């Protein structure tokens, strides 16, 4: 399969991961032009909008969400383990623990269909109230606080949480936080550390 000469920025503090990615990209997806940056500051200093694609890890992605979110269709996030199905539907992940063939397949799928819509994404839309509940969850509010802030019963909050989990397939607060950031429901400033 041939690819045009893509400009790829790899933003990772880990040199070994960078070298592995560089080897895979130049071996299987040539011609490519790869630039390496140990952090986002270095990318920003050298002109961050010069690239067709970005590869980074979840930490860099979250710390620089204001930059990466508008470019989420051009960004690959490295994942340590299995990526939840719902998370995979709104971002591109590269599973580090996968076999070489799987990683190559993930990269190939990204480059071939970067702008293709994700099937079934429309039926995962949250209601306005579910988005409000989601925003409060990721800001650290407990169920009782959510009920009080939205003037709804505790049972209604629990129903909304159940519906959010069912629609997205995400059960952890960290997963919900990532989803909310990827979809622009919250910014990095909204999250309590």
């Amino acid at each position: 399969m041939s690819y045009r000469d893509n400009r790829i920025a790899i933003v990772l503090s880990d040199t070994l991961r960078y070298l592995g990615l560089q080897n895979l990209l130049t071996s299987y997806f040539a011609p490519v032009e790869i630039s390496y940056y140990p952090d986002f500051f270095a990318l920003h200093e050298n002109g961050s909008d010069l690239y067709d694609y970005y590869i980074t890890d979840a930490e860099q992605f979250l710390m620089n969400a204001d930059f990466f979110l508008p470019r989420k269709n051009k960004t690959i996030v490295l994942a340590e383990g299995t990526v939840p199905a719902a998370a995979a539907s709104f971002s591109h992940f590269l599973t580090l623990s996968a076999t070489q063939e799987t990683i190559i397949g993930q990269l190939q799928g990204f480059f071939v269909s970067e702008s293709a819509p994700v099937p079934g994404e429309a039926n995962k839309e949250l209601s306005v109230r579910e988005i409000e509940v989601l925003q409060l969850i990721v800001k650290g509010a407990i169920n009782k606080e959510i009920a009080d802030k939205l003037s709804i019963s505790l049972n209604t909050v629990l129903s909304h949480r159940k519906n959010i989990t069912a629609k997205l397939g995400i059960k952890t607060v960290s997963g919900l936080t990532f989803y909310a950031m990827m979809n622009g429901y919250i910014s990095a400033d909204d999250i309590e550390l």
Side-chain angles (χ1 to χ4, degrees):
M1 178 168 283
S2 68
Y3 299 88
R4 67 180 184 86
D5 191 7
N6 290 311
R7 294 175 316 245
I8 301 171
I10 299 177
V11 185
L12 294 171
S13 59
D14 184 344
T15 306
L16 190 57
R17 286 183 184 172
Y18 157 69
L19 292 172
L21 282 168
Q22 180 188 38
N23 181 40
L24 284 175
L25 291 168
T26 55
S27 297
Y28 294 94
F29 300 96
V32 292
E33 178 185 321
I34 301 170
S35 297
Y36 170 67
Y37 301 99
D39 55 37
F40 183 77
F41 179 76
L43 171 70
H44 184 68
E45 287 291 306
N46 287 302
S48 53
D49 279 326
L50 302 174
Y51 300 96
D52 299 309
Y53 303 104
Y54 302 89
I55 300 176
T56 191
D57 58 17
E59 181 181 356
Q60 286 291 328
F61 185 92
L62 291 173
M63 287 178 18
N64 303 289
D66 292 342
F67 174 81
F68 288 115
L69 279 177
R71 296 162 183 83
K72 67 181 179 180
N73 289 336
K74 298 169 46 170
T75 303
I76 299 174
V77 179
L78 302 182
E80 293 292 333
T82 306
V83 178
S89 71
F90 60 83
S91 187
H92 304 283
F93 288 92
L94 195 60
T95 310
L96 295 174
S97 59
T99 64
Q100 180 175 335
E101 292 78 22
T102 301
I103 292 172
I104 291 168
Q106 289 174 332
L107 287 168
Q108 186 175 39
F110 172 71
F111 292 129
V112 170
S113 64
E114 71 169 272
S115 60
V118 177
E121 192 170 345
N123 65 2
K124 293 183 181 177
E125 288 191 27
L126 301 177
S127 70
V128 172
R129 181 60 86 176
E130 288 167 343
I131 292 170
E132 291 173 335
V133 171
L134 174 64
Q135 289 169 327
L136 291 170
I137 290 169
V138 301
K139 289 179 182 177
I142 61 173
N143 292 337
K144 176 77 170 110
E145 292 171 330
I146 295 170
D148 292 343
K149 285 185 182 184
L150 299 179
S151 301
I152 57 178
S153 74
L154 186 58
N155 286 337
T156 303
V157 172
L158 295 174
S159 293
H160 285 309
R161 286 186 80 131
K162 180 180 170 187
N163 292 340
I164 291 167
T165 299
K167 286 181 180 181
L168 303 179
I170 303 172
K171 297 179 182 177
T172 65
V173 174
S174 61
L176 291 172
T177 302
F178 197 69
Y179 175 85
M181 288 186 70
M182 290 293 296
N183 287 279
Y185 296 137
I186 62 164
S187 69
D189 297 335
D190 294 330
I191 301 170
E192 290 183 19
L193 299 176

